[in-house]
């Protein structure tokens, strides 16, 4: 039973669901918590996934404890009736934590996709670092995306036999949509695409950045819009009203700033391809944009995804207004600095993470054996 609740989980779970459905030895009961609504539904729709169960727990301005308790309560009722052989959770959201706890308490094995990421700061990202550590404690099969995430788990005394290195399923998803011909539903974006202008693509939503840090990012974007009037700044705004209230006021009246609703994944991927630079605090975007050869400036103090930082295509810049302005300006103004950061690298996956996941599930159930671990070199 795959269980998920938010946009990034849906994107990263989709290749696994597709592979489970295509197999003739698994029966997938897709369960969504509905922690997100529109942002979740648009992903399921894109990948043709019709969930079997939907707890629909979302509330406006929901609290972490509210999300967790509604998730566990809803799943407990479901798991009482339907008894899957295993549940699959993905990543570090409260949906994933709720899914893991509810299954563990019912004696159902937990399979954790994207296991072993660590920022080594319990409060950043908050609450994700804590969520993924708690999930690891109740997991039977840990599917680490990289050798580094496997090493993190082994340092925490997880038995090596319980860890498979699969690559990140986000790369499977990205490759799935990359070849599709996608038209933008928002006419403003078709104008952006045909303008030929330099494009700065921005996303932000992290809980620990909400409030004054995010207001500073809004002011930084406004200053960049003034400094580079020929550049278009595109911000697909997260649905969270707290995010919108922090970032949007400073951008009003700036005609070269284009704010849109959250984009369907295929459209967002097209926009990443068009972008000159990506400025984000997202986890998934840090994994995708490097594989498209786009420099990524990450508005966080630390990251649990060090591989692309090590490869030189991602830089951590924090959220300080001056620093955001100067780091973006540096990439716009200094061609050689830009070129150094714009090499395409693929440390997170090769598009076969779902196949390795299915093989690892077969080994868990004693019906098959694993595939060789993913290695970034492809060796
Ligand atoms: C959640 C995850 C975060 C993940 C992010 C992906 C937790 C604690 N946080 O954060 O790890 O990076 O999703 O985007 O699990 N809303 C809507 N419609 C939607 C989605 C959100 O209206 O489709 C609004 C609601 O008012 C909701 C609020 O956004 O209360 C916050 O959503 P929530 O899932 O609690 O937090 P995110 O910041 O989205
Ligand atoms: N994304 C999308 N539409 C958007 C913005 C992002 O489909 O308008 C995708 C993006 O490509 C990535 C994922 O959503 O795969 C990241 O989600 P988010 O930043 O909300 O969460 P995180 O990865 O930080 O947990």
């Amino acid at each position: 039973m795959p269980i998920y609740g938010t946009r990034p989980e849906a994107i990263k779970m989709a290749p696994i669901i597709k592979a489970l459905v295509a197999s003739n030895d698994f029966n997938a009961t897709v369960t969504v918590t509905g922690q997100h609504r529109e942002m979740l539904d648009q992903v399921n729709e894109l990948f043709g996934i019709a969930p079997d169960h939907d707890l629909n727990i979302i509330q406006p301005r929901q609290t972490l404890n509210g999300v967790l308790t509604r998730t566990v309560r809803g799943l407990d009722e479901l798991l009482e009736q339907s008894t899957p052989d295993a549940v699959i959770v993905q990543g570090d959201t409260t949906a994933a934590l709720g899914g893991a706890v509810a299954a563990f308490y019912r004696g159902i094995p937990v399979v954790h996709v994207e296991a072993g990421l660590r920022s080594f700061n319990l409060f950043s990202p908050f609450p994700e670092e804590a969520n993924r550590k708690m999930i690891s404690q109740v997991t039977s099969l840990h599917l680490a995306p990289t050798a580094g995430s496997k090493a993190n788990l082994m340092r925490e005394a997880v038995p090596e036999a319980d860890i498979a290195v699969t690559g990140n399923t986000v790369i499977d998803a990205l490759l799935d949509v990359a070849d599709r011909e996608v038209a933008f539903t928002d006419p403003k974006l078709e104008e952006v695409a045909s303008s030929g202008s330099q494009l700065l693509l921005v996303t932000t939503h992290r809980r620990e950045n909400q409030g004054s840090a995010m207001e500073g990012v809004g002011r930084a974007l406004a200053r960049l819009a003034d400094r580079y009037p020929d550049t278009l700044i595109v911000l697909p705004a997260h649905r969270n009203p707290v995010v919108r209230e922090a970032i949007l006021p400073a951008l009003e009246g700036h005609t070269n700033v284009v704010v849109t609703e959250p984009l369907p994944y295929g459209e967002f991927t097209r926009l990443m391809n068009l972008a000159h630079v990506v400025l984000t605090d997202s986890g998934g975007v840090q994994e995708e944009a490097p594989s498209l050869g786009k420099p990524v400036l990450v508005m966080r103090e630390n990251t649990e995804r060090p591989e692309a930082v090590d490869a030189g295509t991602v830089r951590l810049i924090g959220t300080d207004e001056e620093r955001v302005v100067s780091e973006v300006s540096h990439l716009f103004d200094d061609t050689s600095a830009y070129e150094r950061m714009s090499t395409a690298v693929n440390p997170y996956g090769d598009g076969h993470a779902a196949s390795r996941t299915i093989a690892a599930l077969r080994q868990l159930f004693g019906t098959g054996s694993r595939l060789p671990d993913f290695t970034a070199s492809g060796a």
Side-chain angles (χ1 to χ4, degrees):
M1 178 185 282
I3 298 174
Y4 56 101
T6 68
R7 168 174 67 192
E9 295 164 82
I11 292 168
K12 292 171 172 180
M13 199 70 96
I16 296 174
I17 294 172
K18 189 174 169 186
L20 287 170
V21 170
S23 76
N24 47 23
D25 52 340
F26 287 104
N27 190 3
T29 308
V30 177
T31 299
V32 296
T33 67
Q35 176 175 333
H36 282 178
R37 191 69 280 163
E38 306 84 351
M39 290 165 57
L40 171 71
D41 295 345
Q42 66 183 183
V43 180
N44 282 333
E45 201 177 304
L46 175 73
F47 289 105
I49 296 169
D52 299 282
H53 304 286
D54 188 340
L55 305 180
N56 197 26
I57 63 130
I58 191 171
Q59 287 181 1
R61 296 174 193 265
Q62 56 203 3
T63 64
L64 296 175
N65 284 322
V67 171
L68 182 62
T69 50
R70 290 194 301 281
T71 300
V72 173
R73 189 180 305 122
L75 287 174
D76 194 45
E77 285 166 15
L78 185 61
L79 293 173
E80 194 170 19
Q81 299 145 21
S82 126
T83 47
D85 296 309
V87 307
I88 310 176
V89 297
Q90 196 286 332
D92 51 23
T93 66
T94 299
L97 175 63
V101 169
F104 181 74
Y105 278 5
R106 286 262 169 206
I108 299 165
V110 175
V111 177
H112 187 201
V113 176
E114 200 182 74
L117 275 63
R118 297 288 184 267
S119 69
F120 303 102
N121 179 336
L122 191 57
F123 300 98
S124 175
F126 176 89
E128 290 83 1
E129 177 76 355
N131 283 352
R132 56 192 168 225
K133 289 175 79 174
M134 291 190 277
I135 294 169
S136 294
Q137 300 307 308
V138 296
T139 289
S140 296
L141 174 61
H142 307 255
L143 300 175
T146 65
S149 43
K150 174 179 174 177
N152 291 339
L153 290 167
M154 289 184 62
R155 271 195 293 274
E156 293 172 11
V158 174
E160 187 168 13
D162 297 344
I163 310 169
V165 182
T166 58
N168 200 308
T169 54
V170 80
I171 303 299
D172 299 33
L174 187 68
L175 294 178
D176 185 346
V177 299
D179 293 338
R180 303 188 193 187
E181 288 271 314
V182 178
F184 289 120
T185 30
D186 184 335
K188 289 195 298 259
L189 290 179
E190 280 303 341
E191 281 171 36
V192 167
S194 54
S195 70
S197 302
Q198 173 170 279
L199 190 68
L200 174 67
L201 175 60
V202 186
T203 78
T204 181
H205 71 83
R206 290 250 84 79
R207 202 166 279 263
E208 68 275 11
N209 288 347
Q210 289 167 10
S212 58
M214 219 173 261
E215 287 166 16
V217 171
R219 288 192 298 274
L221 294 179
R223 286 170 56 188
L224 286 163
D226 290 339
R227 185 180 287 186
Y228 299 97
D230 296 331
T231 294
L232 293 174
I233 300 177
V234 180
L235 173 73
H238 193 284
R239 276 272 175 172
N240 192 340
V242 179
V243 171
R244 293 183 176 207
E245 285 157 11
I247 199 149
L248 297 187
L251 303 177
E252 270 168 33
H254 290 82
T255 50
N256 56 333
V257 178
V258 179
V259 178
T260 72
E261 288 303 314
L263 298 177
Y265 184 53
E267 295 189 33
F268 187 76
T269 302
R270 181 175 168 206
L271 211 47
M272 273 194 291
N273 260 315
L274 290 169
H276 187 59
V277 173
V278 178
L279 176 67
T280 189
D281 60 16
S282 162
V285 176
Q286 281 179 66
E287 294 157 342
E288 294 161 340
S291 79
L292 302 173
K294 303 297 173 177
V296 186
L297 298 174
V298 175
M299 295 183 287
R300 290 173 48 177
E301 305 301 336
N302 55 37
T303 183
E304 59 287 314
R305 295 168 166 92
E307 291 85 354
V309 178
D310 294 345
T313 67
V314 165
R315 180 176 300 145
L316 295 177
I317 65 165
T319 50
D320 174 68
E321 178 183 335
E322 293 302 327
R323 178 105 193 261
V324 171
V325 172
S326 67
E327 292 280 355
V328 174
S329 302
H330 181 57
L331 283 186
F332 282 177
D333 297 342
D334 183 337
T335 316
S336 54
Y338 181 85
E339 277 165 9
R340 278 196 300 277
M341 275 190 81
S342 56
T343 327
V345 294
N346 246 329
Y348 296 111
D350 58 2
H352 300 294
S355 306
R356 293 192 189 88
T357 299
I358 299 296
L361 286 171
R362 290 196 178 112
Q363 194 201 31
L364 178 71
F365 293 123
T367 59
S369 51
R370 288 192 194 156
L371 294 172
D373 279 352
F374 163 71
T375 53
S377 63

